[in-house]
Amino acid sequence: MIRALIPTLLLLTTPALAEPTPPQKHPGCFVLLDLKTGELKRNDAKRCEKRTAPASTFKVPHALIALETGVVKDPAAMRKWDGQKRSISDWNRDHSLESAIRYSALWFFQGTAKEIGRERMKDWLHRFNYGNEDISGELTAFWLEKPLRISPEEQVRFLAKLYRNELPVSEGTRETVKRMLEYTPKTVTERTKRMAGPWSTGAVVSGKTGSTHTKEDGDVSWLVGHVRSPKGEYVFASLVTGEHHEGPVALHAAADELQRLGVLEEQDHPY
């Protein structure tokens, strides 16, 4: 009788294996474009058409312009830190274009904006058809709050041109920026490490985060990027707005949504 009860007791006392947590519904706007088929998916058409400040996602066109104008000739060449201490410790040192994109070092791009100048910057944004193309006001801050505005759908259209090799820039410039945007175990930071995988299909994710605060939208959190895998090639934009967002909210929301849509799959870990 005791032997017969043992299997039942084991079932009652052994904890059940935890079910995988399903991806959360995206809390803002998410747009995905299949570069092969042209299929566009979005979770909220109205939200995804609304423009807001690009914040540091503007470093993608900014880097293209800096290279194309010759303001930056070598993406690995270091520029001296101006010595002004800022709240983000990773900014308080010398940076190259490569590291300034990785750590989103604002002072580096404020310097290149001055060197590019208003006329050349405006001309290149017009060539790129980037958002509302408005760079009036402060030359070192127009992408942070106002007046430059871009929608998630427009971000995706811009990235599609970059990854389809349709932007009016040289091959060297284009490929350099693409390479700098890749998330790999060696290039991710603490904030972006989730995007390095490893993904089960061997997918490679590229992207640029952005965050700011505007009177109209409150906290603004972006991730725009690209996925290359045996399943296909995609560009995407993730935007979350509201109040009191901490950390890379749009990045984590994008990772969940890309998995929910089957674009990314996490590797199974043996136990």
Side-chain angles (χ1 to χ4, degrees), residues 17-64:
L17 292 174
E19 290 293 326
T21 304
Q24 300 295 310
K25 182 180 177 182
H26 196 286
C29 159
F30 186 83
V31 185
L32 179 74
L33 177 66
D34 186 320
L35 290 179
K36 183 177 180 180
T37 67
E39 181 185 9
L40 183 74
K41 294 180 180 178
R42 50 193 181 175
N43 65 337
D44 186 326
K46 189 173 181 180
R47 273 178 112 169
C48 294
E49 290 172 355
K50 184 182 176 183
R51 287 171 167 171
T52 190
S56 286
T57 66
F58 182 68
K59 289 181 174 66
V60 180
H62 196 151
L64 291 167

Side-chain angles (χ1 to χ4, degrees), residues 18-19 27 36 40 51 65 94 99 101 103 111 121 123 137 156 171 187 194 196-197 203 211 213 239 248 257 259 271:
E19 290 293 326
K36 183 177 180 180
L40 183 74
R51 287 171 167 171
I65 297 166
D94 297 351
S99 65
I101 281 188
Y103 293 98
M121 186 74 81
D123 175 56
V156 161
E171 180 182 359
T187 62
R194 186 177 178 191
S211 61
H213 185 91
L239 172 65
E257 194 69 7
Q259 289 178 77
Y271 292 99

Side-chain angles (χ1 to χ4, degrees), residues 12-126:
L12 291 173
T13 57
T14 303
L17 292 174
E19 290 293 326
T21 304
Q24 300 295 310
K25 182 180 177 182
H26 196 286
C29 159
F30 186 83
V31 185
L32 179 74
L33 177 66
D34 186 320
L35 290 179
K36 183 177 180 180
T37 67
E39 181 185 9
L40 183 74
K41 294 180 180 178
R42 50 193 181 175
N43 65 337
D44 186 326
K46 189 173 181 180
R47 273 178 112 169
C48 294
E49 290 172 355
K50 184 182 176 183
R51 287 171 167 171
T52 190
S56 286
T57 66
F58 182 68
K59 289 181 174 66
V60 180
H62 196 151
L64 291 167
I65 297 166
L67 288 165
E68 202 66 9
T69 57
V71 165
V72 173
K73 293 181 173 61
D74 178 359
M78 303 300 287
R79 290 194 171 206
K80 187 145 186 78
W81 171 44
D82 60 10
Q84 181 181 339
K85 289 213 167 180
R86 296 168 175 88
S87 59
I88 299 174
S89 60
D90 283 320
W91 293 5
N92 300 328
R93 57 182 175 84
D94 297 351
H95 274 287
S96 65
L97 180 63
E98 290 179 346
S99 65
I101 281 188
R102 187 182 310 167
Y103 293 98
S104 215
L106 177 60
W107 67 262
F108 183 98
F109 286 93
Q110 289 179 318
T112 54
K114 290 178 182 178
E115 293 177 55
I116 292 165
R118 192 178 304 279
E119 291 307 312
R120 287 196 294 180
M121 186 74 81
K122 186 170 181 61
D123 175 56
W124 277 101
L125 289 193
H126 180 66

Side-chain angles (χ1 to χ4, degrees), residues 180-192:
M180 291 191 296
L181 294 175
E182 284 190 3
Y183 289 134
T184 70
K186 290 184 178 180
T187 62
V188 291
T189 65
E190 187 64 28
R191 288 171 61 85
T192 59

Side-chain angles (χ1 to χ4, degrees), residues 183-222:
Y183 289 134
T184 70
K186 290 184 178 180
T187 62
V188 291
T189 65
E190 187 64 28
R191 288 171 61 85
T192 59
K193 64 183 180 181
R194 186 177 178 191
M195 282 300 182
W199 307 107
S200 64
T201 59
V204 176
V205 182
S206 303
K208 185 68 198 77
T209 57
S211 61
T212 189
H213 185 91
T214 69
K215 290 180 181 179
E216 181 182 356
D217 295 310
D219 293 333
V220 175
S221 178
W222 282 102

